Amino acid sequence: AAANHVKLVPAWGRLVDRLAVRNKHALFVMARSIIMSGDHKKSSTIDLLKSCVKSPYRAVAAEMVLKVISENGLRLASRAACFAYSLILKTWVDVKNRSYQNQEARLLTLPYLSEILFRYVPLAISGGINMALLIRTFRAVSSLKHDSYKDCLAFLRTLPPHHNNTVLLGAIATGCAESNSIKGIDAVLKEANHLHIKPTSELLTSIMQAYRAFPAPSNKKARRNQEVLSENHHSLDSSTHSGEGLDKEAQSLERLVQETPGSSEQSLALSEDHAAGPVIEFRKSILARILRVWDEFEYHGLVIRTAAYTIAAQVCIRCHEYQKAEWFFRDMAEKQQEHDIISMSNVLLLYLRWNKPQLAFSIFGAMGDQEKCKQFEDQYPGLSKIERNSVHYSLIIDYCLTSKREQNAMYLFRAMHELDIGASPWLYSKVLRYLADANMKQDFVKIMRQVSRLGVSVDREMLSVIKEYQAKISKKTV
C-alpha cells in the first residue's frame, strides 16, 4: 500500500490538469484508490491536495478528495478541510478576477465553485475548518446571485449556537452587498431576530457596512424609477423589520442597480455632492435602513464602535443630511469613542460639503500638532493620535481646486509629495488637468515623474489628460 501511494500521488498531480477537463470520474476513481488503499488516510489526503496546489484545476482536485471522504464515511481532518477549502476559495478569487481564459474559464465558473463550497460545508465543519475560511465561504456563496442568501440562512438554522452564527450572518450580509441583493441584507437582521440571537456590535456594523456598500444607480437610470422609490419610501419605519412595502422597495432598489452595473459608492471625492434627486432618494432609503439598524444597537444596549459611527455619518453626508451627520460625531464625543483615520476623513468631508471650509482647514491643520489638537480634543477624541494621510490631503486639495484656490491646492500638493505621500489617481487627474489648462509645463512634467516614482496607477482619466496635453504642446510646436 505504501509503494502504491508513493507511485500514485505524483501521477495524480501530473494528471489533474488533463483529467479535470476530459474525465472527472477517472480523477475521482484515482483519488479514491489512493486514499482508501493507504494506512494513513489523513496523510494521503494532504499529499493529494499538496500535489495540485499549482494546478489551475486545484478546485476540481479538492472536490474529488472531499467527494471520496464524504461518500466513504471517512473523517475529514481539520488540516485537510482547511487545505481543500483554501484551494477552492483561491480559485474563486482567480475566477472572479478573470484570471483564467478559454478552457479553464469554461469549466471553472462561480456557480460551480459555489456549489462545491456549499455542498461540503457540513463535512468541513465536522472536520474542524477554521472560522476565517468559513466566513469567506459564506460570503462567497451568498455573493453569487440575488437569492443565494436564502440557502445560507437556511443552513445556519441547522447549526448549534456555539458556531458563532453572528459572525456568519455578517459574512452573508457582506456577500449580499456584492450580489446587489438588498433583500438579502434585510433578511439577515430578520434572521437574527428569528433565531433569537442577540446581535453583536460586530454583526450590526457588518450589516451597516453592507448597506453602505450597496451601489447607487446612475442619475439617468434612477430618474426612470423615481416614482417607484417615492411610493415605497414611506414604508421604511424604523421599528419595522418586515412587510410587503419593504420587500417591494428592495426589489425596486435591486432593479436600479441591475440596470447600472459597476456603479460604486466608495469614493470620498467632493464631486459626489452633485448627485441628482433620484440618486439622493436612493441614498435616503439606504439611510433609513441604517438608522433602523442603529435602533438595534440602542435596544440591545450594545457598545457602538467608531466604524458604526463613521458609516452612519458618511451615509448622512451622501444624503446631504449634514446636521444629522454632525449629531453622530457629537454623540461619539459624548460617549468618548475615539476617532480613527477614516472617521476624521469623514469629519473633513462633512464640513467641506456643508460649506464650512474654515473649520475643516482648522481640523486638518491640527492633525499631527499636539498643541493645536488641544482645542479640538473634546469634540474629536483621539485626534491627537491621528497623522495626516493621503485621503485627508486629497479632500482639502480637491476642495481648493474646486473652489478656485489653485495656489493653496498646489502648495498642499507639493507638501504632500515632500512627505512621500501618494494620492489616488482621480486627484492626480484633477491636478494635471489644472496644470494643463494653465500651461504649466514644468510642473506637469514634475508631477508625472512623481507619479512614476511613487508607483501610482495611471487610470483612463489621467491617461486622457496626458494625451490631450501632449497633443496641445505638439500643435504649438508645429
Side-chain angles (χ1 to χ4, degrees):
N4 190 40
H5 176 267
V6 171
K7 291 179 182 177
L8 286 177
V9 169
W12 156 279
R14 291 192 300 271
L15 291 172
V16 162
D17 289 4
R18 187 185 303 173
L19 294 179
V21 177
R22 299 180 181 179
N23 195 339
K24 285 174 67 175
H25 180 69
L27 197 63
F28 168 73
V29 171
M30 196 172 179
R32 184 176 60 190
S33 300
I34 296 171
I35 294 173
M36 299 302 293
S37 64
D39 293 330
H40 301 285
K41 295 179 173 55
K42 177 180 176 181
S43 61
S44 298
T45 303
I46 294 294
D47 289 342
L48 283 178
L49 294 170
K50 281 183 177 180
S51 68
C52 59
V53 168
K54 295 182 180 179
S55 169
Y57 299 103
R58 54 186 173 267
V60 180
E63 178 198 9
M64 295 302 106
V65 170
L66 292 170
K67 186 176 181 182
V68 169
I69 292 172
S70 176
E71 292 187 359
N72 289 276
L74 302 177
R75 182 182 177 277
L76 181 64
S78 174
R79 187 181 171 202
C82 293
F83 208 138
Y85 266 70
S86 294
L87 295 180
I88 300 170
L89 288 165
K90 176 68 169 66
T91 307
W92 172 282
V93 173
D94 289 343
V95 171
K96 202 161 189 181
N97 293 336
R98 300 182 179 180
S99 302
Y100 297 132
Q101 295 178 350
N102 303 328
Q103 186 172 267
E104 297 166 359
R106 285 195 295 271
L107 176 63
L108 301 170
T109 62
L110 292 180
Y112 163 69
L113 296 170
S114 178
E115 196 271 334
I116 300 172
L117 288 169
F118 194 69
R119 188 197 317 158
Y120 295 108
V121 160
L123 181 66
I125 290 176
S126 66
I129 187 173
N130 66 48
M131 183 57 70
L133 287 171
L134 204 55
I135 289 169
R136 289 177 61 194
T137 296
F138 274 86
R139 176 175 175 174
V141 173
S142 59
S143 70
L144 181 63
K145 54 185 180 179
H146 279 65
D147 58 354
S148 297
Y149 70 91
K150 294 179 180 178
D151 291 334
C152 294
L153 292 178
F155 180 77
L156 280 190
R157 295 184 196 119
T158 67
L159 293 178
H162 70 270
H163 274 98
N164 206 344
N165 292 350
T166 56
V167 177
L168 298 180
L169 283 170
I172 295 170
T174 304
C176 290
E178 294 173 8
S179 65
N180 298 336
S181 175
I182 203 162
K183 286 192 292 184
I185 306 173
D186 291 341
V188 167
L189 189 56
K190 284 192 242 177
E191 188 66 23
N193 292 325
H194 175 75
L195 295 174
H196 303 291
I197 298 172
K198 181 181 178 180
T200 62
S201 181
E202 290 75 16
L203 170 60
L204 296 181
T205 303
S206 295
I207 294 173
M208 291 175 68
Q209 171 63 34
Y211 280 131
R212 181 183 66 173
F214 199 79
S218 67
N219 292 333
K220 184 177 180 181
K221 297 293 183 181
R223 197 172 293 115
R224 300 207 315 250
N225 296 274
Q226 186 174 16
E227 291 183 6
V228 178
L229 283 169
S230 299
E231 289 172 3
N232 291 318
H233 183 68
H234 71 276
S235 67
L236 285 167
D237 185 85
S238 61
S239 61
T240 305
H241 295 280
S242 62
E244 186 179 353
L246 186 60
D247 289 337
K248 284 183 177 178
E249 203 223 10
Q251 291 171 5
S252 68
L253 292 176
E254 288 172 5
R255 186 166 63 251
L256 282 170
V257 174
Q258 288 175 43
E259 293 174 345
T260 55
S263 55
S264 174
E265 281 270 278
Q266 298 304 314
S267 173
L268 282 176
L270 291 171
S271 55
E272 273 196 357
D273 198 32
H274 303 298
V279 172
I280 296 298
E281 288 299 314
F282 173 93
R283 291 173 178 170
K284 285 184 177 179
S285 67
I286 296 296
L287 176 59
R289 284 172 158 83
I290 283 178
L291 294 179
R292 192 170 68 253
V293 177
W294 192 268
D295 289 341
E296 293 285 332
F297 275 108
E298 297 181 344
Y299 178 77
H300 292 285
L302 300 173
V303 175
I304 307 175
R305 305 294 181 191
T306 300
Y309 279 108
T310 303
I311 293 167
Q314 190 181 67
V315 176
C316 287
I317 295 168
R318 287 176 179 171
C319 296
H320 301 176
E321 297 280 356
Y322 302 130
Q323 288 184 332
K324 194 171 289 184
E326 190 178 48
W327 178 87
F328 283 109
F329 291 133
R330 284 204 308 268
D331 196 58
M332 274 187 76
E334 290 176 8
K335 304 283 176 59
Q336 285 298 301
Q337 191 69 39
E338 289 195 348
H339 280 269
D340 58 19
I341 290 173
I342 300 172
S343 65
M344 285 312 302
S345 299
N346 283 278
V347 170
L348 295 178
L349 181 65
L350 167 63
Y351 293 121
L352 293 173
R353 288 269 188 91
W354 202 2
N355 200 26
K356 297 183 178 182
Q358 292 305 321
L359 183 53
F361 294 160
S362 297
I363 296 170
F364 176 77
M367 288 180 178
D369 189 317
Q370 296 297 320
E371 284 300 316
K372 290 182 180 179
C373 278
K374 290 179 181 178
Q375 62 177 310
F376 293 109
E377 195 62 36
D378 291 339
Q379 295 170 270
Y380 307 105
L383 178 62
S384 59
K385 301 176 184 178
I386 298 172
E387 298 287 338
R388 298 184 198 123
N389 71 356
S390 61
V391 177
H392 304 136
Y393 272 102
S394 297
L395 286 169
I396 301 296
I397 293 168
D398 184 30
Y399 178 84
C400 289
L401 287 172
T402 305
S403 59
K404 306 300 181 185
R405 305 182 191 193
E406 292 90 350
Q407 290 185 343
N408 292 334
M410 294 311 301
Y411 172 80
L412 287 171
F413 196 78
R414 293 187 188 100
M416 183 176 70
H417 276 289
E418 285 176 5
L419 296 170
D420 277 343
I421 299 175
S424 301
W426 65 264
L427 182 65
Y428 280 99
S429 300
K430 198 159 188 176
V431 171
L432 289 172
R433 175 75 67 185
Y434 160 69
L435 295 174
D437 291 343
N439 198 25
M440 299 169 69
K441 185 177 178 180
Q442 289 185 339
D443 288 324
F444 192 97
V445 172
K446 283 181 183 178
I447 298 298
M448 287 307 305
R449 286 174 181 163
Q450 289 168 342
V451 166
S452 176
R453 181 172 61 84
L454 294 172
V456 179
S457 60
V458 178
D459 62 5
R460 290 183 180 178
E461 178 64 23
M462 199 189 307
L463 192 61
S464 174
V465 174
I466 295 168
K467 287 182 176 179
E468 287 176 18
Y469 192 49
Q470 285 177 334
K472 182 179 177 181
I473 292 173
S474 299
K475 285 182 181 179
K476 286 187 176 183
T477 304
V478 173

